[in-house]
Amino acid sequence: MSSAVCLHHPDGDDWDKHCNHWERLSEANTNCRSSEPFSDLVRHRTSHLQGAWIFYVGDHEIGADLQALSEEASMPVVTREQVLPASSGVMRRFTGDESVSREVGAALDYFLCSQMPVFIGNSVSPWSASQIVIRDTVASWYNSFGIPLADVFRAYTIPLVYTYTEESSPTGKVLLQISILSVKRVMPTASIHILYHGSGDGELRGWLTQHGVVLYDHRPTWRDQIEQMRLKGNRLASHLYANAGNYLGTWQRIDIPQFLSVEYCILLDSDAFVVRAFTIADIGHSIPRGLAFSSELNEDDGQPSNAGVALLNVPFLRESVERFHAFVVNHGDPNFARGPSDQGAYMEFYENDLQFLSTRFNMKPYYKNAHNWDTRFILHYHGLKPSDHIKYWFSGICEPLQCFLIFLFEGVPYQCDAMVDFAKAAAFEGPGLIRQYCDLSTSNYSDLCTGLLGLMADHGLPGRTCAAYCERALAQRGLNPADFPYRH
């Protein structure tokens, strides 16, 4: 059944009654039925699949529009009666009751469906909703938006996706591993996916597989055009232009709709770390028809402007993926009307379909809102990385852009608590990743960096100052704090 798609389509009289009741309960309950042609809804959720066939579970025979899609896409559509021709007769014979046999048939459909790798259903239906939850929400629902059961059954984790190329910097590789461990630490059942470019790093591939990460072999056809854009970029304006691998990694995300069979996912940069478990219910009414970004430097502006953490409606993006690709490669210039590179491209092309994602899902270390900080789900080291702070604390020296950001956000209240979040994720499976990160990113101060992050991981207390941690890290090595120009 490796190429099977289970398609659940409730459309009988009892379903109409259910929808009418559901919609009367609240004005927000508008996603029980869709006005879009059913074949289009299915097409947007299957067009990326190769050699697929559909197992249809519905209240009526397969509709003419779905039959037409089946012929157009060379994608057979079958029912239980076709897969198991004798099933209905056998059930009637042994139950002697048509209504009972229908329920038994539904149970058999459910079992068969649960063995299939791809699921598409209606999230308002408890039958579909239960299929979605047993798959850790790695599923699609053609009515999009929320899942009613998610409000009472908080098990609908959102699939998380990264992009990675082996051409990235070694530090980026370690940050990716730490980010994945942050998910494993607080959301062990969440599904994790990576669009992976490269074939030489067997050690990393093994580590990812060992941690249950789903890898997709990614060979972007647009690589050369993106590299030409990078070469035109201003390296003083963004560090991404200085490294071909890092730049490619940010653009890999535009191919996500061609790989993941999900309705929604959250895209994470490798410098974003999950610190509190969340489900689709925590998105609330912000769940988008297209995509959602959060704020960038200004946490209070309410503007969707930072793509480092992004909530994506995958079928919606799949519908427009070819047009978006053409828009990007024909642009030629790395700067777009709403910003540079992939972030600017998304914001310009999807301007009318871009919503705001709460800063709780994209909390920066320099943000100040106490409530959002206390209830944060994802910490994003946007701009300065932990090593930038650590090198400055122990040397008093920084690069011009780093100095600008350090002084711009001097005195913010949660900078050290953010570092504790990072340290706890890095140390989740032992001290090895802390040592690797410090060796790669802090050169002469690696031992102090390792000691500092180790202390934070073991003894993290909210509100403790970075200066206090630095003093203890220095004292552990018999060094005099007065000899070091670290900052509070």
Side-chain angles (χ1 to χ4, degrees), residues 253 266-269 271-273 275 278 292-299 303-311 343 356-367 372-373 375-383:
R253 67 188 69 193
I266 285 186
L267 168 73
L268 294 176
D269 279 353
D271 56 3
F273 310 95
V275 298
F278 59 87
F293 296 167
S294 190
S295 301
E296 194 153 279
L297 292 178
N298 184 354
E299 66 179 310
Q303 296 299 311
S305 50
N306 181 257
V309 179
L311 177 60
Q343 183 169 284
F356 184 73
L357 180 65
S358 168
T359 55
R360 296 172 66 197
F361 290 91
N362 196 340
M363 181 61 60
K364 315 298 195 305
Y366 46 81
Y367 282 0
N372 287 346
W373 177 263
T375 58
R376 67 198 180 282
F377 295 117
I378 299 172
L379 169 71
H380 181 197
Y381 262 93
H382 171 249

Side-chain angles (χ1 to χ4, degrees), residues 8 18 25 46 86 99 105 118 131 134 152 171 185-186 188 190 205 248 263 279-280 288 300 357 383 430 470-471:
H8 182 222
H18 175 75
L25 292 177
T46 56
S99 63
V118 179
Q131 282 284 343
I134 66 172
V152 294
T171 304
R185 176 172 173 259
V186 299
R205 280 181 171 267
L248 169 64
E263 193 70 13
T279 70
I280 199 168
D300 299 318
L357 180 65
C470 288
E471 288 175 358

Side-chain angles (χ1 to χ4, degrees), residues 316-487:
F316 172 87
L317 296 176
R318 187 177 297 124
E319 179 186 0
S320 58
V321 67
E322 291 184 2
R323 289 182 284 116
F324 185 44
H325 278 190
F327 168 77
V328 170
V329 299
N330 292 332
H331 192 268
D333 192 312
N335 295 304
F336 292 81
R338 302 272 311 267
S341 300
D342 61 299
Q343 183 169 284
Y346 271 109
M347 292 171 63
E348 182 176 339
F349 187 83
Y350 292 107
E351 182 176 12
N352 296 325
D353 303 295
L354 186 60
Q355 295 175 222
F356 184 73
L357 180 65
S358 168
T359 55
R360 296 172 66 197
F361 290 91
N362 196 340
M363 181 61 60
K364 315 298 195 305
Y366 46 81
Y367 282 0
K368 302 177 183 179
N369 184 296
H371 172 74
N372 287 346
W373 177 263
D374 290 341
T375 58
R376 67 198 180 282
F377 295 117
I378 299 172
L379 169 71
H380 181 197
Y381 262 93
H382 171 249
L384 295 169
K385 305 300 181 273
S387 58
D388 295 325
H389 292 288
I390 292 171
K391 285 188 291 187
Y392 178 68
W393 291 339
F394 290 126
S395 71
I397 300 171
C398 50
E399 297 295 328
L401 179 58
Q402 295 165 344
C403 283
F404 170 76
L405 293 173
I406 286 171
F407 296 132
L408 178 65
F409 298 116
E410 191 171 20
V412 294
Y414 304 114
Q415 183 182 81
C416 198
D417 292 343
M419 193 78 78
V420 169
D421 284 343
F422 172 77
K424 286 185 177 298
F428 180 55
E429 291 185 341
L433 283 179
I434 286 181
R435 167 58 70 180
Q436 287 184 49
Y437 178 73
C438 290
D439 286 348
L440 289 167
S441 62
T442 59
S443 58
N444 296 336
Y445 301 94
S446 178
D447 286 344
L448 286 171
C449 169
T450 301
L452 175 66
L453 292 177
L455 283 169
M456 289 177 162
D458 291 339
H459 307 291
L461 295 175
R464 179 175 288 184
T465 66
C466 296
Y469 277 115
C470 288
E471 288 175 358
R472 291 192 61 184
L474 291 163
Q476 278 186 337
R477 284 155 178 76
L479 299 171
N480 184 358
D483 295 334
F484 287 80
Y486 62 86
R487 301 294 187 269

Side-chain angles (χ1 to χ4, degrees), residues 9 61 104 112 135 144 146 160 173 194 205 223 238 244 255 342 345 388 443 457:
H9 183 215
E61 297 296 322
V104 175
L112 291 170
R135 299 163 184 269
S144 276
L160 302 170
K173 170 183 170 178
I194 292 184
R205 280 181 171 267
R223 170 67 189 270
S238 174
D255 280 349
D342 61 299
D388 295 325
S443 58

Side-chain angles (χ1 to χ4, degrees), residues 1 53-55 78-87 112 116:
M1 290 192 180
W53 59 276
I54 291 178
F55 177 69
V78 301
T79 63
R80 172 172 35 86
E81 287 76 13
Q82 293 169 288
V83 175
L84 302 172
S87 60
L112 291 170
M116 299 178 181

